[in-house]
Amino acid sequence: MNYDLVIVGGGPAGLAAAISAKENGINSILVIERDRELGGILNQCIHNGFGLHIFKEELTGPEYAEAFIDKLKALNIDFKLNTFVLNINKEKELSVINSVDGFFKIKSKAVILAMGCRERPRGAINIPGNRPSGIFTAGTAQRFINMEGYMVGKKVVILGSGDIGLIMARRFTLEGAKVEAAAEIMSHPNGLNRNIAQCLEDFNIPLLLEHTIIDIKGKDRVEGVVLAKVDKDWNPIKGTEKYIDCDTLILSVGLIPENELSREMGIEIDPVTQGPKVDESLETNIEGVFSCGNVLHVHDLVDNVTKESYRAGKCAAKYIKNELKKISKSINTVPSTGISYIIPQRINLANAEDNIHIFMRVKDIYRNIKIIAAVNGIPIKEFPKKQLYPSEMESISLKRDELFKFNPDEISFYIE
Ligand SMILES: Cc1cc2nc3c(=O)[nH]c(=O)nc-3n(C[C@H](O)[C@H](O)[C@H](O)COP(=O)(O)OP(=O)(O)OC[C@H]3O[C@@H](n4cnc5c(N)ncnc54)[C@H](O)[C@@H]3O)c2cc1C
């Protein structure tokens, strides 16, 4: 089987990338999705708040996904469901499996990686205590309640203040459960401010900052958890222990981009984002392999996933049409004081558009500061910002012509 473009993952990233590649002149496109339907994780996000930027209205997750699925179908783009990509080699040959066609190979001129991310499980955060039933990641509980019709608990404690956990605090409450508290080890919440207000404060659910769980009680089913305040090194402070009676513990402690396929094929991974390192065209270190959406870096809003993935589709189309120039020199982007990561990690000016969009996350909460772009320690541009939160993705843009003037080897970004 041969295609010009194969997209791995049929979530919002894969859908937008496919639509954009088609609109940019590519006809032979296949989207591969391992789940039973297109739409990715949005299918289980039945709350509203999606699409404010793109559609200027608040849609639910399934409504947002549906708009793109309809468009994909109207454009006659091929897709395969219940189909799993096992491996991709450097020659862009994919090993694929499903229960209808069995094991088969697909050769493609370009590949877009759009596999999304998965949740960090209990094993990744080492909570001591027994292993009773009643411990779920927020996304698993979300799928059970919103898609499969099972209520997973009645008295709930949430560990972590990521957006999925916050959304689930509200969902549990609306479904009749009592959410006793959300505990966050950091000194600030991890989720968006609007979710803190609408999902915790509106329902009088306490958010315990600088707290973690130090014990889980119960043998067959969770019976309670012990919380403690932590010091600045995140060690529990003796004497602050507090027992909360509950039957369910929900973990919302971060997302991990699903890059097993990328690592195996030799794609360079950024140790901070846990996603591929890309250039301004969202191309990885393997020519013709692009990446977008949550597999590239964890996004705050799905609208940003869609915009980024449109760009990946457009650039993959350019590559297939031989319109991406091969470059020997690129400018490395370096996150410095206060910035945890930068996307893209390198910029090829010859392929860059007039405005080069730079995405980043900051390490702490900052107010009335400037983001500085500097070459050889000398600031070349500053961007005043009223407030920045680690939970929100920040973006700035640089003019391609301005960068041409300096033509540096690297450009650093820091907070002042
Ligand atoms: C549990 C959970 C809940 C979330 N809730 C919200 C929310 O309430 N609000 C919000 O704004 N954002 C939410 N997000 C963030 C949301 O994931 C992103 O905004 C957006 O869905 C990311 O799009 P994506 O296409 O990159 O990833 P996804 O939506 O995760 O789609 C990736 C797709 O790739 C498929 N895939 C992966 N590997 C393979 C493979 N090897 N072969 C074939 N297919 C594969 C997956 O099955 C999946 O359908 C949530 C994320 C998670 C994990």
Side-chain angles (χ1 to χ4, degrees), residues 86-216:
L86 295 166
N87 173 271
I88 312 171
N89 67 22
K90 284 199 168 68
E91 285 66 50
K92 297 179 272 288
E93 190 178 42
L94 295 92
S95 301
V96 183
I97 195 161
N98 70 28
S99 58
V100 178
D101 310 299
F103 176 83
F104 57 103
K105 296 216 173 201
I106 304 172
K107 185 90 188 76
S108 187
K109 289 183 189 161
V111 173
I112 297 181
L113 304 170
M115 292 90 73
C117 56
R118 61 168 171 266
E119 292 172 285
R120 200 168 276 150
R122 177 180 175 181
I125 50 168
N126 297 326
I127 312 174
N130 294 334
R131 305 203 148 264
S133 65
I135 305 171
F136 302 88
T137 61
T140 306
Q142 192 177 46
R143 178 147 189 140
F144 271 129
I145 297 174
N146 293 351
M147 289 182 78
E148 315 293 340
Y150 294 107
M151 185 62 184
V152 302
K154 292 186 180 136
K155 274 183 117 200
V156 182
V157 170
I158 297 180
L159 178 62
S161 59
D163 287 311
I164 315 166
L166 300 176
I167 297 283
M168 284 313 291
R170 178 174 63 186
R171 183 98 227 118
F172 271 110
T173 311
L174 294 175
E175 293 294 338
K178 173 95 174 71
V179 179
E180 300 291 340
E184 167 59 56
I185 199 164
M186 315 255 268
S187 56
H188 55 79
N190 252 316
L192 296 172
N193 282 339
R194 73 169 196 215
N195 284 336
I196 299 287
Q198 294 170 8
C199 301
L200 295 186
E201 289 167 7
D202 284 0
F203 296 92
N204 295 320
I205 299 168
L207 172 61
L208 306 171
L209 295 172
E210 297 175 331
H211 273 77
T212 193
I213 288 179
I214 56 165
D215 200 5
I216 299 172

Side-chain angles (χ1 to χ4, degrees), residues 9 11-13 33-34 40-41 45 47 50 83 85 115-116 139 142 164 294:
E33 170 54 54
R34 68 183 169 193
I41 213 78
C45 302
H47 55 280
F50 296 88
T83 303
V85 176
M115 292 90 73
Q142 192 177 46
I164 315 166
N294 271 5

Side-chain angles (χ1 to χ4, degrees), residues 66 90 197 210 251 320:
E66 196 59 39
K90 284 199 168 68
E210 297 175 331
L251 304 176
I320 294 163

Side-chain angles (χ1 to χ4, degrees), residues 81-358:
L81 299 178
N82 298 307
T83 303
F84 196 88
V85 176
L86 295 166
N87 173 271
I88 312 171
N89 67 22
K90 284 199 168 68
E91 285 66 50
K92 297 179 272 288
E93 190 178 42
L94 295 92
S95 301
V96 183
I97 195 161
N98 70 28
S99 58
V100 178
D101 310 299
F103 176 83
F104 57 103
K105 296 216 173 201
I106 304 172
K107 185 90 188 76
S108 187
K109 289 183 189 161
V111 173
I112 297 181
L113 304 170
M115 292 90 73
C117 56
R118 61 168 171 266
E119 292 172 285
R120 200 168 276 150
R122 177 180 175 181
I125 50 168
N126 297 326
I127 312 174
N130 294 334
R131 305 203 148 264
S133 65
I135 305 171
F136 302 88
T137 61
T140 306
Q142 192 177 46
R143 178 147 189 140
F144 271 129
I145 297 174
N146 293 351
M147 289 182 78
E148 315 293 340
Y150 294 107
M151 185 62 184
V152 302
K154 292 186 180 136
K155 274 183 117 200
V156 182
V157 170
I158 297 180
L159 178 62
S161 59
D163 287 311
I164 315 166
L166 300 176
I167 297 283
M168 284 313 291
R170 178 174 63 186
R171 183 98 227 118
F172 271 110
T173 311
L174 294 175
E175 293 294 338
K178 173 95 174 71
V179 179
E180 300 291 340
E184 167 59 56
I185 199 164
M186 315 255 268
S187 56
H188 55 79
N190 252 316
L192 296 172
N193 282 339
R194 73 169 196 215
N195 284 336
I196 299 287
Q198 294 170 8
C199 301
L200 295 186
E201 289 167 7
D202 284 0
F203 296 92
N204 295 320
I205 299 168
L207 172 61
L208 306 171
L209 295 172
E210 297 175 331
H211 273 77
T212 193
I213 288 179
I214 56 165
D215 200 5
I216 299 172
K217 303 286 187 195
K219 190 160 175 289
D220 298 324
R221 176 82 195 192
V222 173
E223 288 170 10
V225 295
V226 181
L227 290 164
K229 199 166 166 36
V230 295
D231 63 19
K232 61 177 180 17
D233 299 318
W234 293 357
N235 293 316
I237 301 170
K238 269 207 161 42
T240 64
E241 298 86 355
K242 176 165 29 184
Y243 177 78
I244 300 185
D245 203 48
C246 63
D247 58 26
T248 303
L249 171 61
I250 295 296
L251 304 176
S252 178
V253 288
L255 299 169
I256 310 170
E258 286 222 27
N259 275 299
E260 284 69 19
L261 286 176
S262 327
R263 281 196 181 86
E264 266 177 45
M265 74 184 295
I267 283 176
E268 249 186 282
I269 300 289
D270 183 315
V272 179
T273 58
Q274 300 280 319
K277 288 188 178 177
V278 290
D279 63 17
E280 75 307 314
S281 304
L282 300 165
E283 191 175 25
T284 66
N285 59 308
I286 300 185
E287 214 187 277
V289 179
F290 299 78
S291 171
C292 56
N294 271 5
V295 80
L296 178 60
H297 59 131
V298 176
H299 290 65
D300 51 355
L301 297 174
V302 74
D303 305 64
N304 291 329
V305 169
T306 300
K307 285 185 202 159
E308 180 179 271
S309 306
Y310 263 108
R311 209 147 52 82
K314 183 177 171 189
C315 294
K318 275 189 175 176
Y319 172 82
I320 294 163
K321 293 185 287 182
N322 282 323
E323 290 171 10
L324 269 194
K325 299 190 182 83
K326 296 206 185 341
I327 317 288
S328 50
K329 181 188 163 174
S330 55
I331 304 168
N332 289 326
T333 60
V334 182
S336 197
T337 310
I339 312 270
S340 47
Y341 71 77
I342 303 279
I343 298 280
Q345 285 85 351
R346 54 181 185 277
I347 301 167
N348 295 327
L349 288 182
N351 286 324
E353 296 185 333
D354 290 347
N355 280 316
I356 304 168
H357 301 292
I358 311 277

Side-chain angles (χ1 to χ4, degrees), residues 378-396:
I378 299 160
I380 58 162
K381 194 145 189 196
E382 48 185 58
F383 305 84
K385 297 277 174 186
K386 278 216 162 64
Q387 46 199 14
L388 298 175
Y389 295 95
S391 55
E392 291 176 10
M393 235 168 70
E394 192 52 47
S395 71
I396 55 174

